[in-house]
Amino acid sequence: MEKILNINVDHVATLRQARLGEHPDPIEACKIIKKTKAHGVVMHLREDRRHIQDNDLYRYKKTINLPLNLEMAPTTEMVLIANKIKPKMVTLVPEKRLELTTEGGLNLKRNIKKINKIVNSLNSKIQVMIFIDSDNEQIALAKNLGIHGIEINTGKYADAYGNQKNIELKKIKESAKYAHSLNLYLAAGHGLTIKNITKIAAIREINEFNVGHSVIGEAIFYGLYESVNKIYAKINK
Ligand code: PXP
């Protein structure tokens, strides 16, 4: 079965925000992505608005007819925005102001009541996903929230070297099997590149991949159209 590829355009906005101007415009990037083999777009509206801005979401909704996965922190402010935008999917992620990027999955053990409230306040048409580390206890808690599925954090796998890489891969495989057995829909993301995605894409239970930084980085050398289709080809051999 074809695996779904969503392209995260946050880092087009990062470059724009470096000069606080209008260029490069993530919405223009979405128009190119629409012509590629990718299926959808991911945008993370961070609380500090360091890359994607609220107006990008409104412009996306008006002009881009592709499924949107909105990544957001589990806060009331973000729920209000998501319920206005009504993306196909929302992925709840933890956020810390000082982190360079999302550093790990949501800790449901610590935040279950708060997350439950956020999940229940999102428009019922939005598919809710939770970004989670490969930890079966967390996955079981996610299942209890009645959500659509989980996105497994591949960041630790991406950063690992030597035998640790095998250990992280094994954990992801086991989590994918467990989540699938609970009927949770499965995505994976963070730190995935053309070089490291093959073994993750080979995990049968994972349906969907969210890739950003590496694709936008490669686009500097090969163009966005080319870099998106290259990673699509790795996922769907
Ligand atoms: N999935 C989640 C939940 C993320 O927070 C991010 C980064 O915004 C990604 C996927 C994409 O990660 P990367 O930019 O490393 O490809």
Side-chain angles (χ1 to χ4, degrees):
M1 230 186 34
E2 189 190 21
K3 300 212 171 196
I4 307 281
L5 171 64
N6 303 312
I7 302 298
N8 180 318
V9 294
D10 292 353
H11 295 302
V12 179
T14 301
L15 204 52
R16 177 191 62 190
Q17 294 312 109
R19 292 280 169 98
L20 297 177
E22 294 180 354
H23 182 80
D25 182 357
I27 303 305
E28 288 303 313
C30 293
K31 289 180 188 165
I32 296 172
I33 291 166
K34 196 156 188 253
K35 294 182 186 154
T36 69
K37 293 192 166 150
H39 303 83
V41 167
V42 185
M43 290 187 187
H44 183 173
L45 184 68
R46 294 188 75 105
E47 291 177 283
D48 63 8
R49 308 299 197 270
R50 70 173 71 156
H51 37 55
I52 296 295
Q53 307 296 304
D54 302 51
N55 197 35
D56 293 327
L57 297 177
Y58 293 110
R59 287 167 58 230
Y60 185 93
K61 189 162 164 82
K62 251 197 214 156
T63 55
I64 307 292
N65 185 19
L66 266 183
L68 175 67
N69 177 353
L70 174 64
E71 275 183 29
M72 58 179 233
T75 65
T76 312
E77 182 204 6
M78 290 298 154
V79 167
L80 289 173
I81 295 168
N83 284 345
K84 261 194 228 155
I85 301 288
K86 293 196 191 68
K88 177 182 181 218
M89 189 177 265
V90 152
T91 301
L92 298 176
V93 300
E95 248 180 58
K96 292 188 210 126
R97 289 277 157 124
L98 296 179
E99 68 189 0
L100 290 178
T101 180
T102 318
E103 286 171 354
L106 260 184
N107 188 337
L108 295 179
K109 289 179 212 168
R110 215 183 295 150
N111 298 303
I112 195 75
K113 267 198 189 149
K114 176 181 158 196
I115 306 292
N116 194 29
K117 208 169 136 208
I118 294 290
V119 168
N120 288 328
S121 52
L122 280 163
N123 184 294
S124 61
K125 290 205 179 93
I126 301 172
Q127 297 175 345
V128 182
M129 303 282 284
I130 288 182
F131 184 57
I132 216 169
D133 290 330
S134 25
D135 171 339
N136 285 357
E137 214 182 316
Q138 299 274 8
I139 294 170
L141 287 169
K143 175 67 187 173
N144 285 340
L145 292 169
I147 56 174
H148 181 63
I150 59 166
E151 177 177 340
I152 297 183
N153 178 15
T154 49
K156 284 188 190 140
Y157 168 74
D159 291 342
Y161 287 95
N163 194 40
Q164 192 56 34
K165 211 165 188 78
N166 296 329
I167 293 171
E168 295 298 338
L169 181 64
K170 193 163 170 252
K171 276 198 217 162
I172 294 171
K173 281 183 184 168
E174 283 169 5
S175 296
K177 276 208 169 60
Y178 180 59
H180 184 72
S181 76
L182 298 178
N183 268 329
L184 284 164
Y185 184 77
L186 267 166
H190 214 278
L192 293 174
T193 70
I194 199 116
K195 289 195 179 132
N196 69 18
I197 204 166
T198 305
K199 286 185 178 163
I200 302 292
I203 302 172
R204 203 167 37 89
E205 292 83 2
I206 301 178
N207 311 286
E208 193 153 332
F209 299 87
N210 298 321
V211 189
H213 189 266
S214 71
V215 166
I216 303 304
E218 288 290 286
I220 293 170
F221 305 112
Y222 307 107
L224 186 56
Y225 180 85
E226 190 77 13
S227 62
V228 171
N229 280 341
K230 265 185 172 173
I231 201 147
Y232 173 90
K234 287 271 175 192
I235 293 170
N236 286 297
K237 277 211 179 113

